[in-house]
Amino acid sequence: MPQPRSSAELGALYQEMILDHYRRPRNKGTLERPDAAVEIKNPLCGDEIGLQVAFDGDNVCDLKFSGRGCSISLASASMMTQLVKGKSTEEIEKIRQQFRNLMLGISPAVDDERLGSLRALAGVARFPARVKCALLAWNALERALADRAP
Ligand code: ZN
């Protein structure tokens, strides 16, 4: 992928990534035997997300989401599942904190490569009403991890 030359190009690239995840969501569906299952809603926007997680020891070995809502909430859920799959709960917690920082506009989260495609959502920080959309899947994940904790 060529490096974008301007912030306008970067914005267009990010917009494209969001639409791509919205149109072709990764890890959408349900698991046969989830270890944790969470349903969560964002009443402000009408977004609904169901998240199912399977663990292998301390790692999230598989997860799938279902739901409906705006492009931000569904793209964020898709990106989240892709990014955390196979990672330990400790790594996931760091990413979750950083993504929250990104949404709250706290730098230098935007430069954190661990966030991967989630950085495409950086622009959402300028729209406080949409930050809840972007964080919905992460709130579901946080709850799933907590449900599972001994
Ligand atoms: Zn929304």
Side-chain angles (χ1 to χ4, degrees):
M1 193 186 302
Q3 285 295 311
R5 285 186 297 270
S6 67
S7 61
E9 280 184 25
L10 190 63
L13 173 68
Y14 281 177
Q15 195 62 37
E16 195 54 44
M17 286 168 71
I18 292 168
L19 284 174
D20 181 55
H21 276 268
Y22 177 59
R23 291 179 183 137
R24 297 189 303 118
R26 319 311 197 260
N27 303 303
K28 193 152 190 204
T30 52
L31 294 178
E32 257 176 49
R33 270 179 293 188
D35 296 306
V38 173
E39 304 270 339
I40 195 165
K41 284 182 188 176
N42 171 20
L44 288 178
C45 184
D47 307 317
E48 298 179 8
I49 295 222
L51 182 68
Q52 299 190 323
V53 186
F55 297 95
D56 178 12
D58 197 40
N59 283 15
V60 167
C61 63
D62 203 3
L63 75 172
K64 285 195 188 287
F65 80 98
S66 55
R68 53 189 179 166
C70 67
S71 57
I72 301 288
S73 67
L74 296 178
S76 178
S78 172
M79 290 170 175
M80 182 276 282
T81 58
Q82 198 174 35
L83 193 63
V84 307
K85 196 166 174 174
K87 290 201 166 67
S88 71
T89 52
E90 194 179 334
E91 286 173 288
I92 290 168
E93 184 55 22
K94 283 183 190 145
I95 294 169
R96 194 178 67 77
Q97 293 285 356
Q98 274 298 70
F99 184 59
R100 188 173 291 263
N101 287 346
L102 183 68
M103 287 300 101
L104 296 176
I106 299 170
S107 58
V110 73
D111 297 319
D112 191 335
E113 294 189 352
R114 284 179 304 188
L115 290 176
S117 59
L118 285 169
R119 285 181 294 176
L121 292 165
V124 174
R126 292 197 306 272
F127 307 96
R130 309 309 299 281
V131 166
K132 284 196 186 334
C133 304
L135 289 176
L136 191 65
W138 288 90
N139 292 340
L141 181 65
E142 183 182 20
R143 211 181 282 179
L145 295 181
D147 280 358
R148 185 215 170 227

